[in-house]
Amino acid sequence: MKRHCLSSLEALEFSVFQDEHALRIFPNWMVRYFESLTEKEQWQYFLAYRKVADQMLSESYLIDQLKWILKYPSIELEYDLYVKARIDPDFYEEEVFLPEKWTELQEKYETRFQQAISLLEEQQREDQVSSQDEPEDTLPF
């Protein structure tokens, strides 16, 4: 019985989430993104959105960051928000996340984040080396 009530509550919350997009309560970029999804994808996005929003003091930071996150095809909302927060010089976790939630995200994603940063730095070094190896007559200037 409890499972049925939970799924009914989730369905109601999803319906409200759909309505908020249809009524354009959310910013245009969120509405456009949401409308481009199939209903199954909308449901998955809703669940991911709700999971992240439930960790926050306010959804405003999440909504602001979605403008950039939703531009990329592969979205792991929780991880993508973590990355955006880590590279945001104005980010202060105590202003955004509920107590202990930021610590949980760090425990979950910090290793993955550091590996991604290392890979990116390695690629940049390789690009610099390969660009130095090009003959001078092929340079664009």
Side-chain angles (χ1 to χ4, degrees), residues 128-139:
Q128 287 175 343
V129 169
S130 67
S131 69
Q132 291 173 356
D133 291 341
E134 290 183 18
E136 286 186 36
D137 61 346
T138 62
L139 296 175

Side-chain angles (χ1 to χ4, degrees), residues 19-135:
D19 290 346
E20 289 172 335
H21 284 82
L23 295 170
R24 300 195 175 284
I25 291 171
F26 288 111
N28 286 336
W29 66 87
M30 285 180 67
V31 172
R32 282 191 302 272
Y33 175 79
F34 191 77
E35 290 176 345
S36 74
L37 302 174
T38 66
E39 189 165 347
K40 180 181 179 184
E41 291 168 333
Q42 287 178 349
W43 179 257
Q44 292 168 335
Y45 170 67
F46 159 73
L47 292 174
Y49 182 93
R50 188 178 72 174
K51 179 180 179 183
V52 173
D54 287 349
Q55 300 174 46
M56 306 180 90
L57 295 169
S58 161
E59 292 178 36
S60 61
Y61 186 82
L62 172 59
I63 291 171
D64 288 345
Q65 298 309 312
L66 282 175
K67 184 172 188 176
W68 310 110
I69 292 171
L70 297 180
K71 290 183 177 190
Y72 299 97
S74 173
I75 295 177
E76 290 180 68
L77 202 49
E78 188 176 64
Y79 177 70
D80 292 341
L81 182 68
Y82 177 77
V83 170
K84 291 292 289 174
R86 288 280 284 131
I87 62 176
D88 181 353
D90 297 323
F91 172 75
Y92 297 101
E93 67 268 7
E94 58 275 347
E95 294 177 358
V96 177
F97 286 92
L98 295 168
E100 300 302 317
K101 293 299 181 181
W102 179 250
T103 303
E104 290 173 18
L105 289 175
Q106 285 183 302
E107 290 170 1
K108 187 174 181 180
Y109 293 121
E110 185 61 21
T111 301
R112 180 178 171 187
F113 174 75
Q114 290 301 328
Q115 290 171 341
I117 293 296
S118 295
L119 182 61
L120 185 61
E121 289 171 346
E122 184 179 312
Q123 288 173 341
Q124 288 176 336
R125 281 193 298 274
E126 288 174 5
D127 289 347
Q128 287 175 343
V129 169
S130 67
S131 69
Q132 291 173 356
D133 291 341
E134 290 183 18

